[in-house]
Amino acid sequence: MAASAFLLIASYMVILIVLARPLGTGLVRLIDDRPMPGLAGFERRLWRVSGVDAKPMSWQRYLLAILLFNLGGLILLTVMLMTQASLPLNPQQLPNLSWHLALNTAVSFVTNTNWQAYAGESTLSYFSQMAGLTVQNFLSAATGIAVAFALIRGFANRSLGTLGNAWRDMTRITLYVLLPISLLMALFFVSQGTLQNFSGYVDLHTLEGVKQTLPMGPVASQEAIKMLGTNGGGFFNANSAHPFENPTALSNFVQMLAIFLIPAALCFAFGEVVKDGRQGHALLWAMSMMFIAAVVVVMWAELRGNPHFLSLGADSAINMEGKETRFGILNSSLFAAITTAASCGAVNAMHDSFTALGGMVPMWLMQIGEVVFGGVGAGLYGILLFVLLAVFIAGLMIGRTPEYLGKKIDVWEMKMTALAILVTPALVLLGTALAMMTDAGRSGIFNPGIHGFSEVLYAVSSAANNNGSAFGGLSANTPFWNLLLAFCMLAGRFGIIIPVMAIAGSLAVKKIQPAGNGTLPTHGVLFIALLIGTVLLVGALTFIPALALGPVAEHLQTYSH
């Protein structure tokens, strides 16, 4: 089993790097704002027809464009979900969503979270799934990548003071990256057996004579951008554990690759744009080492399983509860680590059924800010925040003004970095406390005791860090939970984007200083270790007390008998 685990992890990482490297080179053209071959005339006509001023923006204008764009999408999607009964492509005649569920869902998909307090096949029409959720899957992914582009330009610019054009960036990201790759992936998923139709649901009788309804719908088109854009919202309630979404072992492997593809490619692109590929490689090494360690722990915990199985007469202690036999322990554990390291949230197994430690690792991967590859764009600007913090700590130790890539890191950048890093821990801990202190919060818990606390902690961590996956056993479709999690999703997304843009704007006006003898190298083994230590230290100091009350206590309870 150890050899199989090694081969699975190694093959995944090798194929990922092979695919991400050329994509990163392609992203450099977009970051440098160079015209696409043969499409310059098309773009000029597009800006003219749309009325977009494609001139470079200051960080304030870039941020304002991002906020207004997402606000418009939020309002439009909320209205669409509240009126879906009167809209087309609704063969099952599904009713409108309640205002609080519609608001929660709209916030969820606009913020790239895709938290789902509903079962898709019994709640949303084809029109809502396609014109609402799938469209936002593209736009929220483009938003995250555009913010990453702006921050990269802030590091690379030589006193220009501008960060590009938000409308131009989001349009080009969607047209030249997200759409073509998603189209290829959707066709591949169809070839594997993923549904793609507009048929009504099919009623049939099983061999046992029981009537069963099989849901239909345009699944493959949503599945592709769901994974590529690290969105994660499933067409069906079972998400990627459903055979109509994820039919084969090959489709499962491609889905896992798609989640990390753009986050890994952005690391390569970052190195090329700042004219030092070693910087991007250092980020990739740090992410990969933390990720592999997390995967190993999850696999070990699930293979070790639950000793109580043996006392109840089972022939093995390994934990197959909540997992698809099509994928087994290793693929389910790898998928769980990938989807929570990135802010994806898609699942091919039920995380609530993992062992205490096996479920704690995905929870903790979210809590450290999902900077281990992370979401599209969000992972890169998240890890760069920790880079600035690590550089600042190193500067204090050696008595030098901290700098990164030739730009001095001053008080303003550190204030914004601290603010961005502390936003999600504050949301998670305060939100969990509020839920546990109120009757409205506790009423949603189906599993009493330690595991019930873990379910609440996981849900708020997932929302605040824009992941979207969930432990089961929490009835979250209530006004209290829908509004609490909607607030956490909004604040967790834009509470980080705003200071990141402020940092980008501050860096963009600074001159690049030449490296000297006292300059701290930020690409070697020592700095990679410092960066990993900074991420782990912040996560440990922030969340160990809460984890001790949940999964750690549950683990000790399991093995104390």
Side-chain angles (χ1 to χ4, degrees):
M1 189 65 75
S4 298
F6 172 79
L7 288 174
L8 177 61
I9 298 171
S11 61
Y12 175 79
M13 294 303 298
V14 168
I15 296 173
L16 174 68
I17 298 304
V18 168
L19 293 175
R21 187 67 184 86
L23 178 58
T25 300
L27 291 175
V28 171
R29 179 177 288 273
L30 298 183
I31 299 172
D32 289 340
D33 206 20
R34 287 179 276 162
M36 299 299 288
L39 294 173
F42 163 75
E43 288 189 8
R44 285 194 296 270
R45 288 190 293 272
L46 179 62
W47 310 139
R48 186 167 59 250
V49 170
S50 62
V52 170
D53 181 1
K55 295 180 181 178
M57 296 176 169
S58 65
W59 76 266
Q60 295 95 334
R61 289 188 60 207
Y62 199 107
L63 175 62
L64 180 62
I66 291 286
L67 295 178
L68 290 176
F69 180 72
N70 283 272
L71 176 62
L74 173 61
I75 295 171
L76 183 62
L77 183 54
T78 302
V79 172
M80 184 184 299
L81 296 175
M82 291 179 65
T83 59
Q84 76 167 3
S86 57
L87 297 175
L89 293 176
N90 188 5
Q92 300 306 118
Q93 300 300 306
L94 296 172
N96 300 328
L97 274 64
S98 64
W99 69 268
H100 53 85
L101 179 58
L103 177 62
N104 177 279
T105 304
V107 169
S108 176
F109 280 77
V110 167
T111 58
N112 200 247
T113 309
N114 291 32
W115 171 270
Q116 295 176 288
Y118 61 88
E121 62 266 47
S122 61
T123 307
L124 295 182
S125 67
Y126 296 165
F127 186 84
S128 295
Q129 296 264 28
M130 289 191 310
L133 306 191
T134 304
V135 167
Q136 283 303 322
N137 281 347
F138 281 97
L139 302 182
S140 65
T143 296
I145 299 172
V147 173
F149 280 10
L151 183 58
I152 293 172
R153 290 172 185 144
F155 282 113
N157 283 357
R158 299 177 181 273
S159 306
L160 295 180
T162 57
L163 298 172
N165 185 283
W167 307 115
R168 180 178 172 87
D169 284 340
M170 287 187 287
T171 302
R172 300 181 91 213
I173 290 164
T174 303
L175 289 179
Y176 303 144
V177 180
L178 299 177
L179 271 174
I181 300 177
S182 294
L183 177 60
L184 293 175
M185 287 179 57
L187 293 174
F188 168 77
F189 289 144
V190 169
S191 75
Q192 293 296 295
T194 304
L195 292 183
Q196 183 69 22
N197 60 49
F198 295 106
S199 304
Y201 292 5
V202 177
D203 293 323
L204 51 80
H205 288 83
T206 66
L207 294 176
E208 293 83 7
V210 178
K211 183 180 178 181
Q212 183 177 0
T213 300
L214 294 182
M216 299 284 115
V219 182
S221 54
Q222 180 170 325
E223 193 71 14
I225 188 59
K226 157 193 162 183
M227 313 309 290
L228 181 67
T230 61
N231 294 285
F235 193 95
F236 301 111
N237 192 38
N239 209 283
S240 286
H242 199 295
F244 289 174
E245 281 198 36
N246 191 10
T248 66
L250 183 57
S251 69
N252 185 68
F253 193 78
V254 170
Q255 289 192 12
M256 291 191 292
L257 286 172
I259 296 173
F260 273 5
L261 180 60
I262 294 177
L266 280 168
C267 292
F268 288 114
F270 173 73
E272 289 192 40
V273 173
V274 299
K275 303 296 189 293
D276 187 353
R278 298 173 299 175
Q279 304 295 336
H281 297 163
L283 300 182
L284 201 56
W285 271 109
M287 292 177 176
S288 299
M289 292 173 70
M290 289 187 283
F291 168 69
I292 291 171
V295 173
V296 169
V297 173
V298 178
M299 288 181 174
W300 170 81
E302 296 308 297
L303 288 171
R304 187 185 185 198
N306 190 328
H308 295 291
F309 291 168
L310 296 175
S311 64
L312 295 173
D315 60 1
S316 172
I318 67 171
N319 183 32
M320 274 298 293
E321 180 190 346
K323 298 178 179 65
E324 274 287 311
T325 54
R326 292 178 295 144
F327 307 134
I329 293 282
L330 299 182
N331 276 288
S332 299
S333 300
L334 179 59
F335 200 114
I338 291 170
T339 196
T340 49
S343 59
C344 183
V347 295
N348 74 346
M350 301 302 106
H351 294 185
D352 195 40
S353 295
F354 279 35
T355 60
L357 294 184
M360 183 186 74
V361 172
M363 188 189 306
W364 189 70
L365 283 170
M366 295 186 299
Q367 290 170 344
I368 61 175
E370 297 194 283
V371 296
V372 181
F373 289 93
V376 288
L380 182 68
Y381 62 69
I383 194 67
L384 285 174
L385 291 174
F386 278 98
V387 167
L388 296 181
L389 182 58
V391 166
F392 177 72
I393 293 172
L396 291 178
M397 291 191 293
I398 63 177
R400 286 181 57 88
T401 302
E403 63 178 65
Y404 183 59
L405 301 178
K407 297 206 171 184
K408 300 291 185 181
I409 308 302
D410 296 321
V411 174
W412 170 255
E413 287 85 17
M414 289 316 305
K415 286 182 178 179
M416 292 298 101
T417 297
L419 176 62
I421 289 176
L422 293 175
V423 165
T424 52
L427 290 171
V428 171
L429 297 177
L430 294 175
T432 301
L434 178 63
M436 298 304 297
M437 290 169 56
T438 57
D439 292 335
R442 292 193 301 271
S443 64
I445 303 173
F446 288 166
N447 291 306
I450 297 172
H451 195 72
F453 174 80
S454 295
E455 290 169 350
V456 171
L457 180 62
Y458 191 105
V460 184
S461 299
S462 178
N465 290 281
N466 301 130
N467 182 269
S469 65
F471 273 7
L474 183 68
S475 179
N477 187 16
T478 64
F480 173 87
W481 278 105
N482 280 331
L483 293 177
L484 172 64
L485 296 182
F487 174 78
C488 289
M489 288 184 281
L490 272 176
R493 176 73 161 177
F494 297 104
I496 296 177
I497 285 178
I498 292 172
V500 164
M501 291 300 304
I503 292 171
S506 177
L507 293 173
V509 299
K510 293 186 176 183
K511 294 181 179 180
I512 296 178
Q513 305 294 328
N517 292 331
T519 302
L520 173 69
T522 54
H523 52 75
V525 175
L526 181 62
F527 185 77
I528 293 172
L530 177 62
L531 176 57
I532 293 175
T534 303
V535 172
L536 298 184
L537 183 63
V538 171
L541 292 176
T542 307
F543 290 107
I544 277 183
L547 293 172
L549 295 174
V552 174
E554 186 178 355
H555 172 76
L556 296 175
Q557 185 182 64
T558 300
Y559 285 89
S560 63
H561 301 296

